[in-house]
Amino acid sequence: MAAHKNGSLIHIINRASVLFKNGSYRKRILLTSLKPAQCQRRTVSSIGDKNTNLTPQLSSHLAGWSYKELYELSVKDPETFWGSIAKERLTWNKPFDQVRDCEITSGKINWFLGGQLNVSVNCLDVHVAKHPDRVALVWERDEPGTEVKVTYRELLETTCRLANTLKRHGVNKGDRVAIYMPVSPIAVAAMLACARIGAVHTVVFAGFSSEALAGRIQDAQCKAVITCNQGVRGGRFIDLKPTVDAAVKNCPTVQHVFVAQRTANPTPMGKLDIPLEEAMASESAQCAPEPMGSEEMLFMLHTSGSTGKPKGIVHTQAGYLLYAALTHQYVFDYHPGDVFGCVADIGWVTGHSYVVYGPLCNGATTVLFESTPVYPDPGRYWETVQRLGINQFYGAPTAIRLLLKYEESWVKKYDRSSLKTLGSVGEPINHEAWEWFYNVVGDGRCPLVDTWWQTETGGVCIAPRPAEEGAEIVPAMAMRPFFGIQPVLMEEKGKPISGNDVSGALCIGQPWPGMARTIFGDHKRFVDAYFKPYPVPFAFVVLKEDPSLNHTAVVKELRGLVATKIAKYAVPDHFLVVKRLPKTRSGKIMRRILRKVAMEQTGDLGDVSTLDDPSVVTEIIKAHAQKGAVKNYE
């Protein structure tokens, strides 16, 4: 089985967990068939008028074009497509003089060169100038009925005060700032304040441990941390400041820790700590925005720590913002005046793109959801939809699967007539969850867009919309590429595959503005991970406790299943049957251990103290040494 020789292609991250054998492990190739699932089809009207024109228009230059015409232009002439949109959609300090300069094999990706802008200006100032009292944020706090609304004027003032506070304490352009906060207006202001002064923010999910937080702070070499005394979720208080205290003990680059008060409960303050609200109160509500080059860093966001050192995925200014705003508008059919409800945490890329940057760039009212889907009861989402008048609801299949276990009355007791679009994000949505979401929550009248994308792509890459008027939506399928996204199926020797009813490795054939630019401090890792041929997979197999199972027969059956369901070239070269896998106490598989075993590098396994039972490592090493892996010679 040959590795793909497709250095000119952008690889898509794997949706499933795949372990590859050799020195360059990659969890990044989506192996899939484009054959539509055999299931009931829904025909749902997409945005566009009767003439199939996309409305509202992308730009004056593209007025009157159909979706098909726009998509073809976006992949055949990206300079014209993206250039015309960027000129009109973004507010520039200095116009760009070159739309793009990209060379994929070396990971060189540049958009809107020569241009300067400020992201916070595009998310705040431009809207304050037109409608200062429009609600920017609706903070749906943990307790139902206690929501807080923040106007664009208020958010700008808060952002400026926070930005001035950072500057006063030595945070300058290019410095990195860690944000470890629950979903809240002050957390959004912290992100925008960094953008305003040219600092780089790295948001860390406020549920991560002190070790995980420290690792990310160390990797980014953060100068400051912004946090809260506590978080509130599901009726419980969650201590955040002690976690930060433990983390910064091992982070010598941190000079200041800014502490906001989410609750009235006191928290011990140390020599690095600064009460955030108190410091902001003495600062001006005006802060001159820093002009930023299009390709200067906006933020980094770390991905997975279970497969080794977390990767600090870097996104830059103009391209990311434009792509987030455009996908927010056209995938979800957002219109001015809509209340956009994405229930993701800001610690994930979904929160960055579709809670903060995309909606605010479009002047939207965006919901910040602090609570859980089942607090105080399983009707929380839908009670919130009714109370806030949410028009677009964007959530994860995991939550939907949780909620469909409860009686439908938890949904139907609330008025959901405000809903216009439903969205799914984070993982493939199964058919049962799709049908329940569409029929029960949406009453069979709201288009349900299953969106495929990830941290590295910056925004939605594949989704049912936008599309031509009346285009069908097939349940549980992402279906259509967004503007500028050119999916390519590759066969095992790295050649494109064309035609219908075919399968191969799904890659993206050319760059787009929203994609990641590098891994912070390690561009070689970025190139190796996403732009180089990938090795063949190694499979660890855990069998059910059934003495009648024949290992050889099971492996043969697995080979056939992979060849049939995915593709022949995807059949792993090696299968190793083991009794169990190395898992952390939270149930997460520690794949770096398996990688070491597969590569026969068991001399240095690293820290295994977080494993639920470290003895499993010895079991796997012994199985590999005694029996070896079953080789696939096909």
Side-chain angles (χ1 to χ4, degrees), residues 53-66 70 73-74 77-90 92 96 112 322 326 329-330 483:
N53 295 334
L54 208 63
T55 55
Q57 304 300 341
L58 287 165
S59 71
S60 58
H61 176 76
L62 303 175
W65 289 49
S66 69
L70 289 166
L73 179 69
S74 74
D77 187 3
E79 283 83 1
T80 297
F81 180 84
W82 292 111
S84 67
I85 297 171
K87 287 177 182 177
E88 294 187 22
R89 287 298 186 104
L90 299 180
W92 299 87
F96 56 89
F112 312 120
L322 181 67
L326 219 62
Q329 179 176 350
Y330 288 101
F483 301 123

Side-chain angles (χ1 to χ4, degrees), residues 9 65 74 117 151 167 182 255 262 305 322 373 385 405 432 439 495-496 535 557 569 574 577 633:
L9 296 172
W65 289 49
S74 74
L117 48 60
T151 67
K167 289 171 66 176
Q255 298 179 8
R262 170 60 183 92
L322 181 67
V385 166
K405 296 178 181 179
E432 182 186 10
N439 289 307
K495 295 181 180 180
E557 184 179 354
Y569 74 84
H574 304 270
V577 178
Y633 291 102

Side-chain angles (χ1 to χ4, degrees), residues 163-176:
N164 286 328
T165 301
L166 293 176
K167 289 171 66 176
R168 184 172 298 279
H169 290 86
V171 178
N172 301 306
K173 177 180 177 179
D175 289 337
R176 274 79 63 196

Side-chain angles (χ1 to χ4, degrees), residues 168-349:
R168 184 172 298 279
H169 290 86
V171 178
N172 301 306
K173 177 180 177 179
D175 289 337
R176 274 79 63 196
V177 177
I179 299 174
Y180 185 75
M181 308 179 83
V183 178
S184 59
I186 195 69
V188 174
M191 297 167 71
L192 294 169
C194 289
R196 197 164 191 88
I197 65 175
V200 178
H201 66 71
T202 177
V203 182
V204 181
F205 173 58
F208 279 167
S209 67
S210 61
E211 292 81 7
L213 174 60
R216 286 153 174 80
I217 293 173
Q218 292 164 358
D219 181 69
Q221 299 174 15
C222 293
K223 193 172 188 178
V225 178
I226 307 176
T227 189
C228 290
N229 64 329
Q230 292 182 308
V232 184
R233 185 172 171 82
R236 298 184 299 112
F237 291 151
I238 303 165
D239 289 330
L240 300 181
K241 177 63 165 44
T243 301
V244 175
D245 290 342
V248 299
K249 287 179 181 179
N250 301 309
C251 302
T253 60
V254 174
Q255 298 179 8
H256 300 292
V257 176
F258 299 92
V259 185
Q261 296 296 125
R262 170 60 183 92
T263 69
N265 298 324
T267 187
M269 298 290 279
K271 62 181 181 179
L272 298 181
D273 302 334
I274 298 170
L276 183 57
E277 291 91 349
E278 182 179 320
M280 289 171 59
S282 60
E283 297 292 344
S284 170
Q286 295 182 339
C287 177
E290 183 74 27
M292 301 296 292
S294 295
E295 285 301 331
E296 292 189 271
M297 288 177 62
L298 173 61
F299 68 86
M300 75 174 76
L301 194 58
H302 288 85
T303 64
S304 180
S306 65
T307 55
K309 181 182 178 182
K311 302 189 293 288
I313 300 298
V314 171
H315 283 285
T316 53
Q317 308 277 333
Y320 167 79
L321 183 65
L322 181 67
Y323 196 78
L326 219 62
T327 48
H328 168 254
Q329 179 176 350
Y330 288 101
V331 170
F332 302 102
D333 194 16
Y334 165 77
H335 287 79
D338 286 348
V339 176
F340 188 79
C342 174
V343 292
D345 193 282
I346 59 167
W348 313 120
V349 71

Side-chain angles (χ1 to χ4, degrees), residues 411-425:
V411 179
K412 294 185 176 180
K413 67 187 294 188
Y414 298 108
D415 180 5
R416 290 151 287 112
S417 60
S418 62
L419 289 173
K420 299 193 298 184
T421 303
L422 302 175
S424 170
V425 62

Side-chain angles (χ1 to χ4, degrees), residues 142-144 234-235 371-381 383 410 414:
D142 194 52
E143 288 299 325
S371 193
T372 77
V374 292
Y375 181 79
D377 56 53
R380 178 60 187 273
Y381 276 165
E383 186 275 334
W410 286 111
Y414 298 108

Side-chain angles (χ1 to χ4, degrees), residues 327-328 331-333 340-344 350 354 381-382 385 390-400 419-429 433-434 436-438 441-442 446-453 460 462-465 473 476-478:
T327 48
H328 168 254
V331 170
F332 302 102
D333 194 16
F340 188 79
C342 174
V343 292
T350 305
Y354 301 116
Y381 276 165
W382 324 123
V385 166
I390 291 174
N391 302 114
Q392 292 89 8
F393 183 89
Y394 194 31
T398 300
I400 299 304
L419 289 173
K420 299 193 298 184
T421 303
L422 302 175
S424 170
V425 62
E427 59 181 305
I429 185 169
W434 195 100
W436 185 87
F437 200 12
Y438 178 78
V441 176
C446 299
L448 171 48
V449 290
D450 175 16
T451 61
W452 186 91
W453 64 293
V460 174
I462 303 176
R465 296 198 312 188
I473 293 179
M477 289 188 70

